[in-house]
Amino acid sequence: ISNGLFNGATSLETVYLTDHIKKIGMSAYSGCSKLKYFRYGEENDQSKTLRLPDELEYVGQSAFYGCSSAAFGDLVFPESISYIGHQAFDSCDNISSIKINGNSTEIVSFAFHKCLNLTEAEIGNNVKNIGSSILADCNSLEKITLPRLDALYNNEVGSLFANSTPFDYSKIYEGSMDYYGIPLTLTSITVSEGTEIPDNAFSNLKSLKEKLIKDKEYNIDLYLEKYKSVVKRFENIFINKNSRNNK
């Protein structure tokens, strides 16, 4: 689907297409404020969601910017996905969750900016590059699953929310200038692999109640001792099936 093909088509509601689509170009559906559904095959398809094509590899910059009516719901990216561009899903109000585990996928900055009803984000182990601020102004976010804690996002989870000019100050914690945007609703982080916890990995995450680390190679005892001022904010830390109470 070419760059800007339907840009500004404010009356467009339904698109019929094929699962063999591999690329949705820059601003392809940007500003399509009434777009609701992608449908596949026969015109009698009456599905009530906007599902991405099964063979999709590339979503360009601002591809769905401002598609506030699009019925994404629980948005699962196909395993073929390799690139999600800057502001690709910016201001898509009807995304409730995202799941990404493509092949060496790159997620560019502000990809899901201002998805106001997004409550859960799962980023899989095959994601290789995560830009800053991909979840900025996602003020309903409650849970995140991350592949590991390292330079993938500047060693600090807070960089996922970095935003110097938040949309709604009343719904975020105001950390340092670099970390405006951390939502008050965020209570749980799951880390699915890795072998270390970097310095300041959880700084400015004042609301966090639960952190689940699956890889038992993490030296959690050293972390707890070294960063008491940070982890005392947590109610529980889980390592596999073991729990530590931090009250």
Side-chain angles (χ1 to χ4, degrees):
I1 299 176
S2 302
N3 293 345
L5 184 61
F6 299 101
N7 187 4
T10 55
S11 297
L12 181 67
E13 293 186 8
T14 304
V15 176
Y16 293 89
L17 70 171
T18 169
D19 271 316
H20 300 305
I21 296 290
K22 296 186 182 300
K23 178 179 179 179
I24 298 176
M26 180 175 66
S27 301
Y29 295 99
S30 181
C32 295
S33 56
K34 293 184 179 180
L35 176 65
K36 293 183 179 180
Y37 312 124
F38 276 1
R39 290 178 175 160
Y40 299 85
E42 302 296 329
E43 290 193 7
N44 60 5
D45 177 4
Q46 295 299 309
S47 58
K48 298 297 184 181
T49 61
L50 198 158
R51 176 180 63 81
L52 297 176
D54 285 345
E55 298 179 16
L56 186 65
E57 298 175 358
Y58 182 101
V59 181
Q61 177 177 332
S62 302
F64 292 96
Y65 187 104
C67 291
S68 55
S69 299
F72 287 110
D74 297 320
L75 181 58
V76 179
F77 286 80
E79 292 184 2
S80 55
I81 195 72
S82 61
Y83 183 88
I84 302 171
H86 177 71
Q87 294 185 296
F89 294 89
D90 193 314
S91 303
C92 290
D93 292 345
N94 291 320
I95 299 178
S96 55
S97 69
I98 56 174
K99 184 175 182 179
I100 308 167
N101 196 28
N103 184 19
S104 299
T105 305
E106 177 180 4
I107 307 173
V108 183
S109 60
F110 289 92
F112 299 95
H113 172 243
K114 203 177 172 183
C115 291
L116 297 179
N117 293 303
L118 179 66
T119 60
E120 186 168 356
E122 181 178 340
I123 300 174
N125 298 338
N126 290 328
V127 174
K128 302 302 181 185
N129 189 14
I130 301 176
S132 63
S133 311
I134 64 166
L135 298 170
D137 282 323
C138 293
N139 292 336
S140 299
L141 193 67
E142 299 172 3
K143 298 179 180 180
I144 309 175
T145 298
L146 299 170
R148 56 193 182 277
L149 297 170
D150 58 17
L152 191 65
Y153 29 79
N154 300 319
N155 296 321
E156 297 186 22
V157 175
S159 68
L160 298 172
F161 306 96
N163 191 2
S164 60
T165 55
F167 170 67
D168 187 345
Y169 281 91
S170 69
K171 294 184 178 180
I172 62 170
Y173 278 112
E174 296 185 22
S176 65
M177 283 299 293
D178 291 334
Y179 295 107
Y180 282 137
I182 298 171
L184 291 166
T185 52
L186 181 64
T187 57
S188 179
I189 293 178
T190 300
V191 182
S192 55
E193 66 173 23
T195 57
E196 64 178 301
I197 302 176
D199 292 1
N200 303 315
F202 298 103
S203 62
N204 292 298
L205 294 172
K206 297 178 181 179
S207 63
L208 196 60
K209 293 181 179 178
E210 178 182 296
K211 175 166 61 65
L212 174 66
I213 297 178
K214 293 184 176 180
D215 193 320
K216 60 186 176 182
E217 292 184 42
Y218 279 103
N219 190 338
I220 195 67
D221 291 308
L222 177 61
Y223 183 84
L224 289 173
E225 181 63 29
K226 190 175 182 180
Y227 302 107
K228 287 180 179 178
S229 63
V230 176
V231 298
K232 69 181 181 182
R233 300 168 183 161
F234 308 151
E235 290 182 0
N236 290 282
I237 293 179
F238 295 91
I239 314 295
N240 294 327
K241 295 182 179 180
N242 297 318
S243 167
R244 294 178 182 271
N245 196 300
N246 260 331
K247 294 180 179 178

